Amino acid sequence: MGLFKKDLTTVLLNVEGMKCVHCEKRVVDTLKNSKVKAEVNLQEKTVSVKFDSEKITLDEIKSIINELGFECK
């Protein structure tokens, strides 16, 4: 019996309204608290998220980002 980490789901989201490193940090830190790994690209206006789909849904992740004041598409 091996101890393998479950495959995580990776999704690239388009997010409007992020303008600076403070926005980036806010998104990354908030998602981290929800056990979601996030990488923000301010120039491309994207957020790449990696998550366990058995613990959180993509709609929940989008809702978290929207609640921060950004528009997740």
Side-chain angles (χ1 to χ4, degrees):
M1 191 184 286
L3 297 174
F4 295 104
K5 199 172 194 179
K6 183 181 182 289
D7 287 335
L8 299 177
T9 302
T10 302
V11 177
L12 186 65
L13 302 170
N14 293 312
V15 180
E16 294 290 330
M18 299 181 301
K19 299 186 187 303
C20 65
V21 293
H22 297 291
C23 297
E24 176 181 353
K25 182 168 175 33
R26 208 165 138 212
V27 170
V28 170
D29 289 349
T30 301
L31 290 175
K32 184 178 180 182
N33 289 336
S34 299
K35 306 295 185 209
V36 176
K37 183 177 192 274
E39 294 181 16
V40 174
N41 184 322
L42 293 173
Q43 283 185 314
E44 298 291 326
K45 299 180 183 177
T46 60
V47 178
S48 175
V49 292
K50 288 185 182 181
F51 60 99
D52 182 343
S53 60
E54 292 180 3
K55 295 185 179 181
I56 190 166
T57 67
L58 183 57
D59 284 340
E60 289 172 318
I61 293 169
K62 289 179 178 181
S63 180
I64 290 168
I65 294 171
N66 288 334
E67 286 174 13
L68 291 173
F70 307 111
E71 185 180 350
C72 187
K73 299 178 180 183

